[in-house]
């Protein structure tokens, strides 16, 4: 059917040459379709099965067994337990008043680069293409991508991850004949399994951030490094965790596709230091947190004494004077679990992860002086471009 308004109802058909022969199918929906791809968190590893609810609409799911079902767990053939997708379906239907469907194609323990399961031509990629084609759906809003755990275990670099993710989406657009298909990428969360290292986990997170920064077709999904710790070290399992995941997915989908105002996660604009103090400027207002920071001064870790936040400006006082190179991380490895550094969106979300961002020394760059009757008044322009007023007495011989 073409040219139909979004909605849901009974589909009735009859023979054109015998109107007495009819058949009716209930709850046929015309609405928003999403493709789910990635690893086990996309399949669902929740402790309890979830259900979708709405007073008049029903959500649906097309699984890899090539059958349509009502969107209740299990939503994927790779699991018999809970997932965030029925919860997300409920949020979309309640907000937008349209039916929603998911085509689930995720596979646990699969890689994008190592192993190349999701690379174009890989087994998981091919399965995704086949499942979407078998669904009969001709277009989709986007791919919901929750992946990266296996690539982190195997030490995939941020540049390799970014490059292959871009290639994967480009190939999927061609293979599915969906030229405007987008991908919304969750930023990898808490993980202790597989002997993963700080550097390897951080590399995947930064690769995902860079893919979103460098492409208009790969969009920011939920930032997840603050949720946990998980009972098994990697999966969203409790109802609280699944609801948090669904809420964050909804925040980002609402922003990207439905006119939501909460917007993107906070991003760092500028970082400077002077003495023992670091000043960071973010593009969104944040709340205070001393949890989650990692700072090195001349290669040595330093301790954080206090953190204060004034709107989007974060001031960090360290326990010693800082010297170059000064580098700062936030959301690195698993160090920002349950951090309070959150924005004011609904639900609140932490900023994009920072990994060894170099902090510039704050110094005087330019001084403009106006002399009036022995009183020096002027402004100091700092290296970061900000200006600070000053006054002082000058008798022609003393130093300012």
């Amino acid at each position: 059917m073409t040219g139909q308004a979004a909605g849901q109802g009974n589909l009735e058909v009859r023979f054109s040459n015998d109107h007495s022969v009819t058949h009716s199918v209930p709850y046929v929906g015309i609405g928003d379709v999403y493709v789910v791809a990635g690893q086990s968190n996309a399949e669902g590893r929740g402790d309890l099965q979830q259900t979708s609810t709405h007073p008049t609409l029903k959500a649906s799911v097309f699984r890899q067994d090539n059958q349509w079902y009502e969107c209740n767990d299990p939503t994927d053939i790779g699991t018999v337990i809970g997932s965030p997708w029925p919860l997300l379906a409920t949020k979309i239907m309640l907000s937008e008043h349209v039916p929603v469907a998911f085509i689930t194609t995720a596979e646990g323990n699969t890689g994008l680069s190592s192993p190349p399961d999701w690379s174009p031509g890989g087994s998981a990629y091919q399965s995704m293409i086949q499942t979407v084609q078998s669904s009969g759906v001709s277009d989709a809003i986007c791919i919901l991508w929750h992946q990266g755990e296996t690539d982190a275990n195997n030490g995939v670099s941020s540049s390799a991850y970014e490059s292959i993710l871009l290639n994967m989406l480009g190939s999927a657009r061609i293979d599915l004949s969906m030229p405007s298909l987008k991908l919304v990428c969750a930023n990898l969360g808490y993980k202790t399994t597989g002997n993963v290292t700080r550097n390897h986990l951080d590399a995947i997170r930064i690769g995902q951030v860079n893919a979103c920064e460098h492409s208009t077709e790969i969009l920011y999904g939920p930032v997840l490094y603050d949720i946990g710790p998980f009972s098994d070290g990697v999966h969203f399992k409790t109802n609280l965790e699944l609801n948090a995941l669904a809420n964050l997915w909804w925040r980002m989908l609402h922003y990207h596709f439905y006119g939501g105002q909460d917007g993107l996660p906070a991003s760092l604009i500028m970082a400077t230091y002077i003495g023992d103090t670091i000043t960071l400027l973010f593009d969104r207002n944040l709340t205070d947190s001393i949890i989650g920071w990692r700072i090195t001064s001349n290669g040595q870790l330093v301790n954080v004494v206090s953190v204060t936040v004034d709107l989007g400006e974060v001031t960090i006082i360290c326990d010693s004077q800082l010297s170059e190179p000064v580098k700062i991380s936030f959301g690195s490895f698993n160090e920002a679990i349950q951090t309070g550094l959150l924005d004011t969106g609904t639900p609140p979300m932490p900023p994009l992860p920072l990994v060894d961002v170099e902090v510039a020394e704050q110094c005087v760059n330019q001084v403009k002086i106006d002399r009036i009757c022995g009183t020096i008044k002027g402004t100091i322009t700092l290296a970061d471009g900000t200006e600070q007023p000053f006054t002082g007495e000058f008798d022609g011989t003393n130093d300012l």
Side-chain angles (χ1 to χ4, degrees), residues 53 69 73 109 276 310 378:
T53 59
Y69 300 89
D73 282 324
N109 198 32
D276 62 355
D310 181 13

Side-chain angles (χ1 to χ4, degrees), residues 369 374 376 390-400:
I369 298 177
I376 304 298
F390 74 93
T391 59
E393 296 298 323
F394 180 60
D395 63 6
T397 60
N398 60 302
D399 296 327
L400 289 173

Side-chain angles (χ1 to χ4, degrees), residues 103 126 129 208 247 325:
I103 303 172
Q126 290 299 120
I129 299 300
Q208 292 168 338
N247 286 337

Side-chain angles (χ1 to χ4, degrees), residues 295 301-306 316-320:
I295 299 169
L301 281 172
V302 297
N303 295 318
V304 174
V305 175
S306 67
I316 303 171
I317 298 178
C318 302
D319 65 351
S320 60

Side-chain angles (χ1 to χ4, degrees), residues 159-361:
S159 59
Y161 192 94
E162 175 190 359
S163 175
I164 297 173
L165 189 61
L166 289 166
N167 289 340
M168 188 269 277
L169 177 59
S171 295
R173 287 176 149 202
I174 295 170
D175 292 340
L176 293 173
S177 299
M178 297 181 184
S180 62
L181 182 66
K182 297 185 184 298
L183 182 147
V184 180
C185 181
N187 195 255
L188 189 57
Y190 177 87
K191 176 173 166 56
T192 59
T193 57
N195 297 315
V196 70
T197 67
R198 174 191 304 280
N199 289 342
H200 292 164
L201 187 55
D202 289 350
I204 301 304
R205 288 179 181 152
I206 296 305
Q208 292 168 338
V209 168
N210 289 343
C212 298
E213 284 292 309
H214 299 154
S215 170
T216 58
E217 315 306 332
I218 296 181
L219 309 177
Y220 282 112
V223 177
L224 302 173
Y225 60 71
D226 64 316
I227 302 176
F230 300 138
S231 60
D232 66 355
V234 68
H235 293 120
F236 291 77
K237 294 186 70 65
T238 68
N239 279 5
L240 186 65
E241 291 161 357
L242 287 177
N243 272 282
L245 179 57
N247 286 337
L248 289 168
W249 271 117
W250 171 234
R251 166 176 163 165
M252 300 314 299
L253 296 183
H254 192 212
Y255 171 73
H256 291 308
F257 305 115
Y258 302 109
Q261 299 301 308
D262 282 331
L264 302 175
S267 180
L268 181 67
I269 298 173
M270 184 179 64
T272 60
Y273 79 92
I274 185 167
D276 62 355
T277 302
I278 295 175
T279 302
L280 307 174
L281 184 62
F282 288 86
D283 61 359
R284 290 189 63 129
N285 295 345
L286 297 168
T287 55
D288 294 11
S289 180
I290 201 168
I291 298 173
W293 302 99
R294 177 182 172 87
I295 299 169
T296 60
S297 171
N298 195 22
Q300 301 298 312
L301 281 172
V302 297
N303 295 318
V304 174
V305 175
S306 67
V307 177
T308 57
V309 178
D310 181 13
L311 301 178
E313 183 175 285
V314 179
T315 302
I316 303 171
I317 298 178
C318 302
D319 65 351
S320 60
Q321 297 290 300
L322 302 169
S323 60
E324 293 184 333
V326 177
K327 296 182 179 182
I328 190 165
S329 299
F330 186 84
S332 171
F333 200 38
N334 296 309
E335 293 177 348
I337 294 300
Q338 300 180 8
T339 181
L341 191 75
L342 303 170
D343 63 26
T344 56
T346 304
M349 191 157 59
L352 295 173
L354 308 174
V355 177
D356 288 336
V357 173
E358 192 151 342
V359 183
E361 184 174 11

Side-chain angles (χ1 to χ4, degrees), residues 41-226:
N41 271 313
E43 286 183 317
R45 292 295 187 272
D47 293 330
L48 298 174
Q49 293 183 347
Q50 308 297 315
T51 58
S52 60
T53 59
H54 188 273
T56 59
L57 300 173
K58 288 187 181 293
S60 56
V61 60
F62 188 84
R63 308 191 320 181
Q64 299 100 316
D65 56 3
N66 294 336
Q67 296 291 324
W68 284 101
Y69 300 89
E70 190 171 345
C71 188
N72 300 318
D73 282 324
T75 55
D76 193 289
I77 64 170
T79 181
V80 296
I81 43 182
S83 77
W85 311 123
L87 304 174
L88 178 58
T90 297
K91 296 178 185 303
I92 297 173
M93 292 188 296
L94 288 174
S95 173
E96 303 306 311
H97 312 293
V98 296
V100 63
F102 298 99
I103 303 172
T104 54
T105 70
E107 293 186 30
N109 198 32
T110 50
L112 175 67
S113 173
S114 177
D117 304 303
W118 288 98
S119 297
S123 59
Y125 174 87
Q126 290 299 120
S127 177
M128 175 183 71
I129 299 300
Q130 182 273 322
T131 301
V132 175
Q133 290 173 336
S134 296
S135 73
V137 169
S138 60
D139 205 358
I141 300 287
C142 69
I143 297 171
L144 303 178
W145 180 252
H146 194 161
Q147 195 274 340
E149 296 89 346
T150 295
D151 291 273
N153 287 347
N154 294 331
V156 173
S157 69
S158 58
S159 59
Y161 192 94
E162 175 190 359
S163 175
I164 297 173
L165 189 61
L166 289 166
N167 289 340
M168 188 269 277
L169 177 59
S171 295
R173 287 176 149 202
I174 295 170
D175 292 340
L176 293 173
S177 299
M178 297 181 184
S180 62
L181 182 66
K182 297 185 184 298
L183 182 147
V184 180
C185 181
N187 195 255
L188 189 57
Y190 177 87
K191 176 173 166 56
T192 59
T193 57
N195 297 315
V196 70
T197 67
R198 174 191 304 280
N199 289 342
H200 292 164
L201 187 55
D202 289 350
I204 301 304
R205 288 179 181 152
I206 296 305
Q208 292 168 338
V209 168
N210 289 343
C212 298
E213 284 292 309
H214 299 154
S215 170
T216 58
E217 315 306 332
I218 296 181
L219 309 177
Y220 282 112
V223 177
L224 302 173
Y225 60 71
D226 64 316

